[in-house]
Amino acid sequence: MHNILLAEDDHNLGQILSEYLEIKGFGVTLARDGKEALDAFFKEDNVFDICILDVMMPNIDGFTAAKEIRKIDKHTPIVFLTAKSMKEDRIEGLQIGADDYMTKPFSMEELLLRVQAILRRTIITDSSPALRKFNIGELLFDYDAQLLKSNNGDETKLTSKETELLRMLCENKNQTLERSKALNEIWGDDNYFNARSMDVYVTKLRKYLRADAHLKILNVHGTGFKLVELDESSIS
């Protein structure tokens, strides 16, 4: 059974969501604000497979709570719930390291489907890619550990979406990874908002790959992206 940390200050909505997810087979810890959520997350005996955080909460808001979680845990997926629909709020949530972002009102069925999709991506099964380590330039990408390692010992911990996107780029190295293919496989839908979300993650991956000047993620206009390894003449 997967365990969910649900933080929602609306008592009615929180209770309804908690009961619905429990009926669907999840263990749910319900927190009424960001402080309760952090106390629950850092409690020694608690292990959560995913966090669902309302953004607007008293004491500590969802964004702040997520930042505290991400300081020590880069792996556990986070989904934000919010009444805000502004692009800036979506981008802020994704930059913090969220795996998904749902705007109220939403259907519980859609939330369930998104949670299930995220868990399928983050839990390693026998159907995970056979090749779990990729040498790209002077970097080593460890898929299982969700780590990007450089020769000097530096390590970057990747989120689940960063891991899956980099895997697809590595598997299609020097070839075009179609935008729609990545969106449908990782996000489950190639709609506009997911496309904007993927752009944020591509930007973050480009930042991580700067450790090796030979590596570039190129835009292929109207199609997608391409991970390439440049030779010395191309760099100069």
Side-chain angles (χ1 to χ4, degrees), residues 1-217:
M1 181 173 66
H2 302 305
N3 294 313
I4 296 176
L5 174 59
L6 171 63
E8 172 58 66
D9 67 316
D10 183 314
H11 282 245
N12 290 332
L13 178 58
Q15 196 63 42
I16 291 171
L17 287 176
S18 179
E19 292 175 358
Y20 175 78
L21 292 168
E22 287 174 347
I23 289 172
K24 295 301 181 179
F26 294 94
V28 181
T29 297
L30 177 59
R32 296 302 187 181
D33 59 40
K35 183 180 184 304
E36 282 189 20
L38 289 176
D39 289 343
F41 188 87
F42 293 121
K43 188 176 180 180
E44 185 175 352
D45 295 336
N46 286 342
V47 177
F48 296 105
D49 298 293
I50 190 168
C51 299
I52 303 175
L53 308 177
D54 185 28
V55 172
M56 300 298 291
M57 293 188 293
N59 296 323
I60 297 176
D61 64 82
F63 283 162
T64 302
K67 289 176 183 177
E68 292 301 311
I69 290 172
R70 282 289 178 254
K71 284 180 180 179
I72 68 163
D73 186 323
K74 304 291 187 183
H75 176 74
T76 303
I78 295 174
V79 176
F80 284 123
L81 307 178
T82 181
K84 296 183 176 182
S85 59
M86 293 181 64
K87 179 177 70 175
E88 291 79 6
D89 295 309
R90 280 181 168 272
I91 291 174
E92 181 178 357
L94 295 170
Q95 289 175 334
I96 290 171
D99 292 81
D100 213 335
Y101 192 110
M102 295 192 66
T103 303
K104 299 177 182 178
F106 55 84
S107 72
M108 291 186 291
E109 290 80 5
E110 182 181 0
L111 175 62
L112 174 64
L113 290 172
R114 294 198 186 195
V115 167
Q116 290 172 334
I118 291 170
L119 290 174
R120 282 197 299 270
R121 293 195 301 266
T122 56
I123 295 175
I124 298 170
T125 66
D126 292 338
S127 62
S128 296
L131 181 57
R132 299 184 184 275
K133 292 185 179 180
F134 300 84
N135 290 298
I136 46 175
E138 297 180 355
L139 303 178
L140 173 66
F141 168 42
D142 188 328
Y143 174 83
D144 287 351
Q146 297 189 203
L147 284 175
L148 189 62
K149 305 177 183 179
S150 64
N151 288 339
N152 62 11
D154 290 341
E155 294 185 348
T156 300
K157 184 68 175 177
L158 304 176
T159 66
S160 58
K161 275 196 171 66
E162 290 168 351
T163 298
E164 295 299 337
L165 184 55
L166 185 54
R167 171 185 63 81
M168 293 190 74
L169 286 166
C170 289
E171 290 176 345
N172 293 275
K173 183 179 173 182
N174 295 320
Q175 303 176 51
T176 299
L177 171 61
E178 294 183 4
R179 175 183 288 266
S180 60
K181 180 180 179 181
L183 285 169
N184 282 303
E185 181 169 329
I186 301 174
W187 276 263
D189 195 312
D190 60 355
N191 63 44
Y192 170 80
F193 292 109
N194 287 339
R196 297 301 299 157
S197 170
M198 184 167 71
D199 289 340
V200 172
Y201 282 98
V202 169
T203 298
K204 294 172 78 171
L205 288 178
R206 283 179 172 140
K207 180 180 177 181
Y208 302 150
L209 295 182
R210 286 177 190 166
D212 185 346
H214 297 83
L215 297 173
K216 301 290 182 183
I217 299 176

